[in-house]
Amino acid sequence: MKTALCSPTKGRPREFDMDEALTAALRVFWSKGYEGASLTDLTEAMGITRPSLYAAFGNKEALFRKALDLYESEKLDYMAQALEAPTARGVAERLLRGAYAVQADEWDPKGCLGVISSVACGTEAECIREEVIARRASSLRALVARFERAKTDGDLPDNIEPEGLANYLLAIMQGIAVQGGSGATCADLERLVNTSLTVWPTR
């Protein structure tokens, strides 16, 4: 997707690929978090000037939201697909293996964009933290609803509380991302996935 923006120095249109620029911005945010990513980091990685960034994407906050949309659609697309698994354990396996696959990809930064940006945000970036938390809450609601259906169908033990189980599963997924960002090997992460599935509650 090519977009022509006026160059403030040469007085002629400057073209750049917005999709490629947004992908580059995502990698910066993913590596450094929202506050850790400076405008200089972003413009250098995107190959554009600050005026071009503002004209095409808005301010830094708006750029982050677009990068977060891209992250969810490209890197977390397995989450929506996982909810279609026929069993609760199948849902868990797809989610855990999807989280593992993101960390195992040698081309992408490690860790989780949402975790990095929500934990590292100070008061001046509270709106970003709230955005990340709201999106996680939406994922949690969808997962709780799926486990409630599983319990109604007799797919989960009677003593299992769907919201608690959903929170547990998301915590394991976040743990995979945090450990991936902290240098854990693929073998370490795969062992964590397999152990979590071994202790999964069944009737």
Side-chain angles (χ1 to χ4, degrees):
M1 177 171 59
K2 296 288 186 180
T3 299
L5 297 173
C6 293
S7 168
T9 56
K10 298 183 179 180
R12 61 185 175 82
R14 176 183 179 181
E15 294 187 355
F16 67 90
D17 189 302
M18 287 186 64
D19 292 336
E20 291 181 359
L22 184 58
T23 297
L26 168 58
R27 294 181 66 83
V28 174
F29 284 128
W30 195 347
S31 300
K32 299 188 175 186
Y34 177 76
E35 288 189 315
S38 69
L39 284 174
T40 298
D41 293 331
L42 292 165
T43 53
E44 287 182 353
M46 297 166 75
I48 62 177
T49 63
R50 289 194 185 191
S52 294
L53 185 155
Y54 293 137
F57 299 101
N59 58 17
K60 180 183 175 182
E61 179 184 331
L63 175 62
F64 178 81
R65 293 177 191 275
K66 291 182 174 66
L68 190 55
D69 288 339
L70 179 63
Y71 176 75
E72 290 182 342
S73 65
E74 289 194 352
K75 307 303 178 182
L76 303 184
D77 58 331
Y78 66 87
M79 295 187 70
Q81 299 171 12
L83 297 178
E84 302 302 320
T87 65
R89 189 184 187 283
V91 171
E93 181 166 10
R94 291 186 186 184
L95 287 175
L96 292 173
R97 297 206 182 283
Y100 164 79
V102 172
Q103 301 307 311
D105 190 329
E106 62 182 22
W107 300 109
D108 284 330
K110 305 305 178 185
C112 172
L113 176 60
V115 172
I116 293 170
S117 297
S118 62
V119 172
C121 278
T123 55
E124 66 274 19
E126 184 63 23
C127 58
I128 292 300
R129 182 173 180 274
E130 291 175 353
E131 172 78 13
V132 172
I133 291 174
R135 295 193 186 207
R136 181 186 182 279
S138 177
S139 297
L140 175 62
R141 288 193 297 271
L143 193 54
V144 170
R146 177 63 184 85
F147 287 161
E148 286 176 342
R149 178 158 59 88
K151 188 171 182 179
T152 299
D153 293 342
D155 185 36
L156 286 171
D158 293 337
N159 65 329
I160 293 297
E161 203 278 313
E163 185 169 355
L165 186 62
N167 272 306
Y168 165 78
L169 182 56
L170 289 180
I172 295 297
M173 293 171 63
Q174 288 184 342
I176 290 172
V178 170
Q179 290 192 28
S182 300
T185 66
C186 287
D188 292 333
L189 298 180
E190 189 169 15
R191 191 177 302 113
L192 175 57
V193 170
N194 291 336
T195 300
S196 299
L197 291 173
T198 297
V199 301
W200 186 259
T202 57
R203 291 188 69 87

